[in-house]
Amino acid sequence: MTDVDAIKKRLELIRQRLYETAIEEVMLGFSTIAAPVFDADNKLIGTVGIIGSVQYIADPPNPQQIAHVQSCAATISRVFG
């Protein structure tokens, strides 16, 4: 993705839903779900994610997978917050 407007829209979507997916964006057959980790100032300091075969992380991803990744990220954020 190189279009600035498309990147801004995607970042806003990530801010709203607190996760992002990459379905075969880097390598065919592999997908990922990631959630942001924040510090005490609500600054992004990292991400937590899962990577797997597209047969296990589909588009759209399983809501339970999203919830687990977000829960892990929130727990880590609390440590830094």
Side-chain angles (χ1 to χ4, degrees):
M1 182 179 294
T2 58
D3 180 82
V4 174
D5 289 331
I7 292 169
K8 287 179 181 180
K9 287 179 185 176
R10 190 164 178 175
L11 289 172
E12 183 55 36
L13 180 61
I14 295 167
R15 283 186 194 100
Q16 290 172 8
R17 64 185 190 181
L18 292 176
Y19 78 91
E20 177 60 317
T21 61
I23 310 299
E24 295 188 299
E25 288 187 21
V26 176
M27 182 181 280
L28 290 178
F30 289 91
S31 297
T32 187
I33 303 169
V37 175
F38 300 102
D39 68 7
D41 297 321
N42 209 32
K43 289 183 185 175
L44 178 68
I45 59 170
T47 61
V48 171
I50 57 172
I51 300 169
S53 168
V54 292
Q55 74 189 62
Y56 298 114
I57 301 174
D59 188 17
N62 179 313
Q64 197 172 27
Q65 291 173 324
I66 296 167
H68 286 306
V69 171
Q70 287 175 322
S71 175
C72 184
T75 299
I76 295 169
S77 293
R78 280 192 293 278
V79 170
F80 287 97

